[in-house]
Amino acid sequence: MVARRLAVSHNDDTFDVDYDTDDGFEVLKYQLFSLTSVPPDQQKILGRDDQIVSDESDLASISDKLRLVSIDEVEEEIVAEEKEKLENLAMSDEELARLIQAEEEALMMQHFVSRESKEQVEQWIQQYVNQVQMYEDPHRQEMARKTVPVDKLEEKALISLGREGNYKPTKVEQDNAFLLQLLFWFKQSFRWVNSPPCDSCGNDTRSQGMGVANSSETLYGASRVELFRCNSCSNITRFPRYDDPLKLLETRKGRCGEWANCFTLYCRAFGYDSRLILDFTDHVWTECFSPSLGRWMHLDPCEGIYDNPLLYEKGWKKSLNYVFAIAKDGVHDVTKRYTRKWPEVLSQRNIISEPSLAAVLSDITRELRKTLSAEVISALEERDRIEKNVIEQELHRKDDSSVSLPGRLSGDKEWRIARSEFVSAEKNSLSSSSCPVRKCIDDHVTNIYSAFSPVLSKLIEYSPSKKAAAEILEIFRKILVDLKNSPFRTRRISVKSVSSSSGDIFSKMLASFDQLLNALSLKSELGVNGSIDICLASDPVKTSVALPVMFHALDDVIYNIGQCARLDSRSLSWPLLKLNRLCSGLVLASGEELPFGVATCAFDGTRMSKWEEPNGAAGCWIIYQVADNRMVELVAYEFMSANDAPERDPKDWVLEGSENGGSSWHLLDKQTSQMFDKRFQRKAFTVSSPGYLSNAFRFRFLAVRDKNATSRFQIGSIDLFAGSS
């Protein structure tokens, strides 16, 4: 640890910043943001001789006097161009010379070992071209669309955008979000086959070699059939390797070939410009052109991972040679997109010389485009040219060392070990040790918590027992469940009368639920037959985002009612009544899991997510900056345990507040030897040192439940409660 006091000038002001270099560059930018209101992505920090200070700088030895400049959009572009130039020029002359020499040696070696099997390479590629052309069949596309729960995926896509604060996405944004939901759905709906279960008794089988395909199997392109003998009844089970994606829509099983084949059909069925990616070291996946990114995007349906082309070389430790993109209108060598070790890869490309390979791909592409108009061909060639330039630039770009890519997830453990693609479960994830500042889109969570106040007050007014109060809330929950199961764009349900004392009370106090309905973007209105209907009041996506929070909050309120000695006016206090929850703040953490365990997941109010820190068992932290830099007194907070892995639960931690946005910290609370007895358990804590006004809070998690069993930290949710203003 190196403690620094930095004098940072901005416009006409100078700020003294106490800074611990172990916290990393992002924390320094976050501190400056809290002092100057210049967002981290708009900051240009200059040191001695106006040298740019970045995350690659030696933060322990930088000048004590820094200058902060706020860059506008034009300056941002200039800085980005300068950064790219610096990255491209980052190699020394000696390193560049070694790279060029390695490429020349690889090409020379390739000249001697390549067998010039031009026809064989062309045959290999052509069979995949034939396969890709099946994706253009309208019947296959229609059959594919019929198997997809389109409404549910559209809702999930819009929810994912809504959780980022984007409730009015463009069509391009919606299409991109839907594609990712299609990927996640396919990952859950398609089944990986190591060895199929016995057709006769369902028990495990073992390989018995290959068999001859019968007529019904060859009808769908199964030129290979694997045979498996049952370990129990000795029955032989056949596993045809179908090439026709139409058959795969029915079987929904296979290995990477079947997965990528079927998923690429789905992508084409929904109009995405797609291509099948063939890796000669035995893997297949998909690419789709992303208008929002302006480039092709990598999608691996077997792994459920997207836009991480270095997954195979960096995560799986593959030694690549040839990677081809095969589409209906062209075939391209995209190996350079998937490697940062081009000279090494080049030395392994010994099937055909580079000029001959280029000629083969050019001939196939020309043939595929011969019926297209000159205008379309020109547009495709321009896109090809841009792609080639982008790939060349990326090839020499420095890898982001903060991002950790997983080993292979698909296939059984023994198979992955045999292929040298296995990584232990603790390390087998996509994660980052460099977390950007993220904004919490969680005002709906606070609104829901606050809206329980009139409901609980009315319950006490009617003086029901704790059991009756829980029954009334369960009636409301049942209404919301029925509403959730209705089409999300037109949600509406009639409130049916319940013939019980609790049902009578619910009917009388229905108006007290209006604030809760409003928090869900719902309203009650008179139905056609005099009934009361619950329906949408505004954007249906806001309702979709808020409903899971409501269900989990209802469960918590019902539980807390059960914990009360009796339900009366004295019960209307925390934690039953959760008022003044902080929301809409900014969050920064020591690390996070991508894309589902990011830092803001700790504040989204649902059990379906969590913040996960891959290296957090040894210690980690999360900072919450209060919205609008307001000064508040924190009086209480709640933690909820995550869905699994109790060994990752927080055990010891320190809570600190800051009056200057993180330049210095004041101890607010300390907890040791805390244990969560079950999953999704909430534990409430009052701040042991209240009365300190802060605009930022920091949790430093010092120990997990069992640091010997895990390297990870996780928490389901964090709720912060301020005192009454």
Side-chain angles (χ1 to χ4, degrees), residues 404-432:
S404 174
L405 294 171
R408 188 166 193 156
L409 303 173
S410 52
D412 64 16
K413 180 178 178 180
E414 292 73 21
W415 183 73
R416 285 180 284 156
I417 290 174
R419 295 164 62 96
S420 300
E421 295 169 353
F422 175 78
V423 177
S424 67
E426 282 293 308
K427 301 293 184 182
N428 215 10
S429 64
L430 181 62
S431 60
S432 176

Side-chain angles (χ1 to χ4, degrees), residues 44-84:
K44 182 177 180 181
I45 303 172
L46 304 175
R48 188 180 291 111
D49 299 325
D50 281 345
Q51 292 293 312
I52 296 177
V53 179
S54 69
D55 52 3
E56 297 179 359
S57 303
D58 182 356
L59 300 177
S61 61
I62 60 174
S63 170
D64 289 337
K65 295 182 178 180
L66 303 175
R67 184 161 61 92
L68 173 64
V69 179
S70 175
I71 55 178
D72 58 24
E73 293 182 2
V74 176
E75 289 175 316
E76 264 191 322
E77 293 178 5
I78 294 173
V79 170
E81 290 173 359
E82 289 176 348
K83 183 178 179 182
E84 184 171 340

Side-chain angles (χ1 to χ4, degrees), residues 408-597:
R408 188 166 193 156
L409 303 173
S410 52
D412 64 16
K413 180 178 178 180
E414 292 73 21
W415 183 73
R416 285 180 284 156
I417 290 174
R419 295 164 62 96
S420 300
E421 295 169 353
F422 175 78
V423 177
S424 67
E426 282 293 308
K427 301 293 184 182
N428 215 10
S429 64
L430 181 62
S431 60
S432 176
S433 59
S434 176
C435 172
V437 176
R438 300 183 185 276
K439 183 175 181 179
C440 293
I441 309 298
D442 64 335
D443 57 326
H444 60 287
V445 181
T446 295
N447 292 338
I448 288 170
Y449 286 6
S450 299
F452 274 100
S453 179
V455 174
L456 293 171
S457 296
K458 188 61 68 174
L459 283 173
I460 290 172
E461 180 183 329
Y462 280 100
S463 300
S465 65
K466 293 192 298 180
K467 180 182 178 182
E471 288 176 352
I472 291 167
L473 293 176
E474 287 290 357
I475 292 171
F476 182 62
R477 193 183 201 285
K478 175 63 167 58
I479 292 171
L480 294 183
V481 168
D482 292 341
L483 193 76
K484 183 179 185 299
N485 292 333
S486 61
F488 82 96
R489 286 190 174 90
T490 57
R491 284 192 165 116
R492 175 182 286 269
I493 188 170
S494 294
V495 178
K496 297 177 181 178
S497 60
V498 179
S499 56
S500 67
S501 57
S502 297
D504 291 340
I505 295 174
F506 174 78
S507 299
K508 292 177 183 177
M509 60 178 288
L510 184 58
S512 66
F513 284 87
D514 283 350
Q515 191 175 332
L516 272 177
L517 293 176
N518 185 60
L520 290 168
S521 296
L522 296 171
K523 62 182 178 180
S524 62
E525 62 182 27
L526 194 63
V528 291
N529 296 318
S531 63
I532 299 297
D533 288 0
I534 306 295
C535 59
L536 295 171
S538 60
D539 189 340
V541 180
K542 291 185 177 181
T543 302
S544 297
V545 170
L547 273 173
V549 178
M550 177 62 78
F551 288 128
H552 300 154
L554 270 170
D555 292 343
D556 190 42
V557 170
I558 292 170
Y559 172 80
N560 283 331
I561 286 176
Q563 299 303 301
C564 296
R566 57 177 298 167
L567 192 60
D568 55 26
S569 58
R570 289 171 295 181
S571 306
L572 292 180
S573 60
W574 187 79
L576 176 60
L577 201 58
K578 300 179 181 180
L579 301 177
N580 302 319
R581 177 187 179 273
L582 297 180
C583 65
S584 305
L586 299 173
V587 175
L588 179 67
S590 53
E592 58 187 7
E593 191 83 1
L594 302 172
F596 302 116

